Amino acid sequence: EPEVTQTPSHQVTQMGQEVILRCVPISNHLYFYWYRQILGQKVEFLVSFYNNEISEKSEIFDDQFSVERPDGSNFTLKIRSTKLEDSAMYFCASSGGGGSSYEQYFGPGTRLTVT
Amino acid sequence: RKEVEQDPGPFNVPEGATVAFNCTYSNSASQSFFWYRQDCRKEPKLLMSVYSSGNEDGRFTAQLNRASQYISLLIRDSKLSDSATYLCVVNKPPGTYKYIFGTGTRLKVLA
């Protein structure tokens, strides 16, 4: 069964450093997403991406965040200057086209710890 | 009113019981509705989409009530493996691909 993969599973970084989180969506999917979940809190939408551009983003997704699809398979989230409050689990998701275009499938997540 | 609201639970039920969760949403223009389950420290897994006509998948039944702006999930014949947090997800208009998650309802199925 096709699945979304994410690397690394855990990233530790110092405050102020840049991090790149990587995702490989399901191969025939067209829509890609990033979410975050701070420990003990709800899943929060960050951004959706389609046709090589941002489709929608939340208030959380400010100038320190960026997304990219550098090749035909990877989808990345960059955080330019990490803050302590960026510590969270980051989930990538993808959804396909057609009638089930809205059903999202999530990767296992990257746990980001900012020290 | 919160955008998506769920009773956090926990709902503690014996094996074999039927349990129902509700989720209310604030924006009447929302068009896409889903139930996900999330196990501790794991990713959300799609349980089912929720259609206007309602839908059923095995022991799980989802309903949408647009007039009252809520969706429901019914689990029949609960199994120990159903223990998880159930997340309600709704799109946020005017966005189609922008989603709001509820805080989740925790279910514990007891032997």
Side-chain angles (χ1 to χ4, degrees):
Chain A
E1 184 177 314
E3 57 183 21
V4 177
T5 59
Q6 290 186 243
T7 53
S9 57
H10 190 191
Q11 173 96 47
V12 181
T13 190
Q14 287 190 326
M15 199 166 51
Q17 295 297 303
E18 175 183 285
V19 294
I20 298 176
L21 309 183
R22 302 180 193 280
C23 167
V24 178
I26 293 171
S27 61
N28 63 344
H29 280 184
L30 302 176
Y31 301 87
F32 315 118
Y33 312 82
W34 283 102
Y35 292 85
R36 79 173 186 192
Q37 187 172 32
I38 295 169
L39 189 62
Q41 297 186 24
K42 67 176 186 175
V43 176
E44 297 176 290
F45 172 85
L46 292 178
V47 66
S48 57
F49 191 87
Y50 170 71
N51 200 25
N52 281 320
E53 59 184 32
I54 289 174
S55 177
E56 294 167 84
K57 61 183 181 179
S58 71
E59 303 74 28
I60 302 168
F61 194 89
D62 61 22
D63 291 345
Q64 72 158 347
F65 291 94
S66 62
V67 289
E68 194 178 33
R69 188 155 162 83
D71 53 43
S73 59
N74 289 284
F75 179 51
T76 62
L77 174 69
K78 182 192 289 187
I79 308 175
R80 286 193 185 81
S81 177
T82 49
K83 307 184 183 82
L84 293 175
E85 54 266 35
D86 292 328
S87 295
M89 182 73 95
Y90 287 80
F91 293 110
C92 173
S94 68
S95 65
S100 63
S101 66
Y102 306 114
E103 292 183 347
Q104 297 175 67
Y105 295 86
F106 283 73
T110 292
R111 181 167 298 282
L112 176 64
T113 302
V114 182
T115 61
Chain B
R1 185 177 179 180
K2 287 184 181 176
E3 291 177 301
V4 177
E5 194 156 10
Q6 296 183 253
D7 181 341
F11 284 54
N12 297 321
V13 302
E15 266 187 296
T18 296
V19 62
F21 309 133
N22 279 346
C23 165
T24 58
Y25 60 95
S26 62
N27 194 320
S28 59
S30 290
Q31 294 291 330
S32 301
F33 310 92
F34 308 91
W35 284 104
Y36 281 77
R37 68 171 278 167
Q38 186 175 31
D39 295 286
C40 190
R41 294 180 177 260
K42 298 285 190 180
E43 74 272 25
K45 289 189 188 292
L46 179 67
L47 197 58
M48 56 204 311
S49 302
V50 188
Y51 305 118
S52 296
S53 54
N55 47 311
E56 186 174 314
D57 183 4
R59 299 181 293 109
F60 299 84
T61 301
Q63 298 279 352
L64 167 64
N65 185 317
R66 286 193 184 274
S68 301
Q69 292 178 214
Y70 75 84
I71 65 173
S72 63
L73 177 69
L74 182 78
I75 305 176
R76 288 181 297 278
D77 188 23
S78 300
K79 313 287 185 197
L80 293 175
S81 57
D82 293 334
S83 297
T85 297
Y86 289 83
L87 308 176
C88 170
V89 182
V90 180
N91 79 295
K92 181 171 180 175
T96 303
Y97 295 98
K98 185 174 185 178
Y99 296 92
I100 304 298
F101 278 67
T103 51
T105 298
R106 199 160 154 222
L107 171 67
K108 287 185 182 177
V109 181
L110 308 170

